[in-house]
Amino acid sequence: MQQSVDKFIYILYHYWVCMSNHFPTFCMFGKSILKAVENRMLRSEFYYDLPEELIAQEPIEPRDASRLLHLDRKTGAVKDGTFRDILHILRPGDCLVLNDSRVMPARLYGNRKGTGAAVELLLLRQRELDVWEVLAGPGKKAKPGNVLVFGEGLLEAEVLEVIEDGNRLVRFHYDGSFFDILDRIGQMPLPHYIKRQLENKERYQTVYARETGSAAAPTAGLHFTPQLLDEVRKMGVDTAFVTLHVGLGTFRPVKEDEITAHKMHSEHYALNAENADIINRTKARGGRVIAVGTTSCRTLESIGMTDGKILPSEGWTDIFIYPGYTFKVLDGLITNFHLPESTLIMLVSAFAGYDHTMAAYRHAVEERYRFFSFGDAMFIL
């Protein structure tokens, strides 16, 4: 059906071209329709076959022992190696931009007060003091007015209202420090494709995480060890930090057939003057600004100016990057392998080129790289 529609549009367009001397306005309109057809991108174009056994179920040890696929974004050439090879790819004067957000142990298991019915909450973001937006399951156990109990009474949540997407607003009641209690009784919000809990919660944190607020890890940074970062700095590569608190909206499936109809959820970011200066100095001296992860990339591109400069900033971003986007700041990207048809593989395709990206993913499958959060990495330059 869609092919018939497209064919009709092309025929109509060529008719308008032939009639251009008499109907120049209609001809221009026909050209705009043709351009829209040519530029349309469908979700299905970002699908690839992935054997389930390639989905990494646990982190590799040590962190920097993961594999690395080096992708040349100009030629599409790929090279296989290990993550420590970044020491041979980086050069003095470059700058790595890292997201220092720390993951909350945001998954809570408890019971509804009065009935004892099992209930689960996943903290998404703080709306005000002690009021949080959460996912609740099952929803019928979390109706407005219900009180939910966690950690044998250490924490109670009063359900205030049901909001968009079926999420809830809840007000927490407790004695002491909320985040200390969360550390004691909360579980790491691992993605659905990881089937077991971690014994060590810190393994789902980067070694430089310090600003608590994410509902998921900025996973490209999981490959770094303190020693590797020291080696990177000793070779003359700067490091700068941004904070973007990763929300689950980043990983929300694209349901629309045409990707431009997809709406991203907002996430909070911050970049201070010190780190903005580091990035600007890198640009001024001709160094390369390399984002570690799509979250760092989205932060830089949200606040970067057309001349590539960065200003200190704090706010919310819902930027959606897909092929056709013109990058303002980024020169390189370190990232993991992402789910088929996700906004993240669309971002990578925008930076590396659609054909190069999809070919690199096919290569990674053939070479049996490990995929997703605990998987291997790509370095795109």
Side-chain angles (χ1 to χ4, degrees):
M1 178 64 182
Q2 187 62 53
Q3 290 179 342
S4 298
V5 172
D6 291 349
K7 184 177 181 181
F8 171 75
I9 292 174
Y10 271 85
I11 292 172
L12 190 61
Y13 164 71
H14 286 297
Y15 172 78
W16 268 314
V17 171
C18 293
M19 300 298 288
S20 60
N21 290 333
H22 301 287
F23 303 102
T25 301
F26 289 150
C27 180
M28 290 176 63
F29 182 58
K31 287 179 179 179
S32 68
I33 291 177
L34 178 61
K35 188 175 189 304
V37 171
E38 290 175 335
N39 290 342
R40 181 174 56 224
M41 296 209 76
L42 302 179
R43 181 188 70 226
S44 58
E45 296 179 61
F46 297 90
Y47 178 81
Y48 65 93
D49 286 318
L50 179 68
E52 187 174 352
E53 65 268 19
L54 296 186
I55 300 174
Q57 292 298 311
E58 56 189 12
I60 198 168
E61 296 294 345
R63 291 172 181 255
D64 57 3
S66 54
R67 297 172 69 188
L68 182 74
L69 179 65
H70 181 198
L71 171 61
D72 187 320
R73 60 192 289 238
K74 293 181 180 178
T75 67
V78 296
K79 184 177 180 181
D80 301 311
T82 64
F83 194 77
R84 287 187 59 80
D85 290 338
I86 67 168
L87 295 171
H88 306 297
I89 301 171
L90 294 168
R91 61 193 186 204
D94 287 343
C95 177
L96 287 179
V97 181
L98 307 123
N99 181 7
D100 65 3
S101 182
R102 185 171 178 83
V103 186
M104 301 177 292
R107 194 178 299 277
L108 293 167
Y109 297 96
N111 304 93
R112 178 179 165 183
K113 194 171 187 177
T115 68
V119 67
E120 175 186 342
L121 292 188
L122 180 62
L123 278 60
L124 298 179
R125 63 176 178 175
Q126 189 173 17
R127 291 294 192 92
E128 57 185 85
L129 182 63
D130 295 331
V131 175
W132 287 74
E133 180 181 344
V134 302
L135 282 174
K140 62 183 180 181
K141 302 294 193 305
K143 296 179 180 179
N146 291 165
V147 175
L148 314 175
V149 182
F150 305 95
E152 298 182 346
L154 286 175
L155 192 64
E156 290 190 354
E158 175 191 358
V159 182
L160 302 178
E161 61 177 294
V162 180
I163 58 175
E164 64 274 6
D165 295 333
N167 295 347
R168 269 69 172 164
L169 287 184
V170 303
R171 184 184 304 278
F172 285 105
H173 301 278
Y174 54 90
D175 291 323
S177 165
F178 176 76
F179 287 106
D180 285 348
I181 294 171
L182 201 61
D183 280 336
R184 289 176 59 185
I185 67 175
Q187 297 289 334
M188 280 299 181
L190 298 178
H192 65 89
Y193 49 76
I194 295 176
K195 307 303 182 185
R196 63 177 72 99
Q197 282 293 330
L198 286 174
E199 293 182 7
N200 178 9
K201 291 181 182 180
E202 287 300 307
R203 203 53 186 83
Y204 194 54
Q205 305 279 13
T206 63
V207 297
Y208 46 80
R210 54 193 175 195
E211 300 293 336
T212 299
S214 277
T219 55
L222 296 179
H223 305 282
F224 285 93
T225 65
Q227 295 76 20
L228 180 58
L229 283 171
D230 285 344
E231 291 181 65
V232 164
R233 294 179 179 117
K234 286 177 182 177
M235 63 180 288
V237 174
D238 284 334
T239 54
F241 293 93
V242 298
T243 302
L244 184 135
H245 292 317
V246 186
L248 295 184
T250 299
F251 307 100
R252 187 165 62 96
V254 178
K255 297 180 179 179
E256 296 80 4
D257 290 334
E258 198 164 338
I259 67 173
T260 54
H262 178 73
K263 174 65 175 174
M264 298 283 285
H265 285 192
S266 294
E267 296 167 312
H268 188 262
Y269 71 84
L271 173 69
N272 63 28
E274 177 185 357
N275 286 288
D277 287 345
I278 294 172
I279 295 167
N280 288 331
R281 287 199 302 268
T282 299
K283 282 290 189 183
R285 65 174 176 251
R288 301 175 299 182
V289 173
I290 298 160
V292 177
T294 56
T295 58
S296 297
C297 164
R298 293 177 64 244
T299 304
L300 293 174
E301 293 300 317
S302 294
I303 59 182
M305 296 180 289
T306 54
D307 61 0
K309 289 183 179 179
I310 291 286
L311 293 177
S313 180
E314 182 173 359
W316 294 83
T317 179
D318 62 357
I319 188 171
F320 180 17
I321 298 175
Y322 53 85
Y325 177 85
T326 300
F327 286 84
K328 297 172 289 188
V329 181
L330 215 63
D331 300 302
L333 176 65
I334 297 175
T335 185
N336 282 16
F337 294 95
H338 304 294
L339 276 71
E341 300 184 347
S342 64
T343 60
L344 303 180
I345 194 174
M346 293 170 190
L347 182 154
V348 173
S349 297
F351 185 68
Y354 172 80
D355 291 335
H356 293 341
T357 299
M358 301 311 290
Y361 268 66
R362 289 192 294 271
H363 174 85
V365 171
E366 291 168 1
E367 296 298 320
R368 302 191 66 78
Y369 277 70
R370 301 164 73 246
F371 279 68
F372 305 161
S373 294
F374 288 144
D376 298 316
M378 298 177 69
F379 197 149
I380 306 167
L381 274 174

